[in-house]
Amino acid sequence: ISSCIKQAKDHHGPINILIANAGITDESNSYPIWKLPLDLWEKTYNTNIRGTFLTIKHFLQSAEETQSSTGKELENLSIVVTGSECGKFGQAGHTEYASGKAGLQYGLIRGVKNEIVRLNSKARINAVAPGWVDTPLIEGRLDDPKEM
């Protein structure tokens, strides 16, 4: 992630907007929490939570470096995190996904909002929580009337 942000900055100049859009889940299975495999929990959290954290971390490090070298704040420094309606309402059979998205939407962005203004007085962070989108990840489950 650090290398990608550095490459983008080297190519485009200072980066002031980040969209953190990590999201995986195993839609081929639907586990009640008492049968949820630990490796699935860890894989989902490593991508969705840890990946989003590292993306934000390295983005803000880049912003701090730019501001230190220029002596002024970046304009419109902002972060948008993709959460999920599952993070608000839960999802049976996918506690690993729903709890992770809730952690992003309610924990991570609220913590970052209290820190980001120390770096940049007008910076902001928000989360969006879309509903299901028919992508290969969910493999046509929206065609199932029980899901709708």
Side-chain angles (χ1 to χ4, degrees):
I1 293 170
S2 176
S3 174
C4 290
I5 289 179
K6 182 182 178 336
Q7 287 175 8
K9 185 177 175 182
D10 290 347
H11 184 76
H12 297 287
I15 303 167
N16 62 329
I17 298 172
L18 173 71
I19 308 296
N21 186 36
I24 64 162
T25 188
D26 178 3
E27 287 294 333
S28 67
N29 289 292
S30 183
Y31 297 104
I33 193 162
W34 59 92
K35 292 186 179 182
L36 182 68
L38 180 59
D39 63 326
L40 175 58
W41 178 277
E42 290 175 343
K43 179 181 177 184
T44 304
Y45 262 64
N46 278 340
T47 298
N48 298 359
I49 306 297
R50 186 173 186 258
T52 300
F53 155 70
L54 288 172
T55 302
I56 291 170
K57 173 184 176 169
H58 290 290
F59 168 74
L60 292 176
Q61 282 179 346
S62 174
E64 181 181 45
E65 290 167 5
T66 297
Q67 291 182 171
S68 292
S69 69
T70 63
K72 60 182 183 175
E73 291 186 346
L74 282 168
E75 290 189 34
N76 297 317
L77 188 67
S78 61
I79 300 170
V80 178
V81 173
T82 303
S84 171
E85 52 92 21
C86 295
K88 182 172 175 82
F89 300 108
Q91 182 184 11
H94 295 281
T95 305
E96 78 290 353
Y97 180 80
S99 65
K101 289 297 184 171
L104 292 176
Q105 291 164 213
Y106 298 105
L108 184 66
I109 68 155
R110 290 179 179 175
V112 172
K113 88 169 168 61
N114 292 323
E115 294 179 13
I116 196 172
V117 294
R118 294 177 183 169
L119 173 65
N120 183 301
S121 63
K122 295 181 183 174
R124 58 200 181 277
I125 182 170
N126 292 288
V128 295
W132 286 41
V133 179
D134 198 4
T135 66
L137 179 67
I138 64 167
E139 300 176 8
R141 282 184 54 194
L142 293 178
D143 296 333
D144 182 349
K146 291 184 292 184
E147 294 290 354
M148 293 301 288

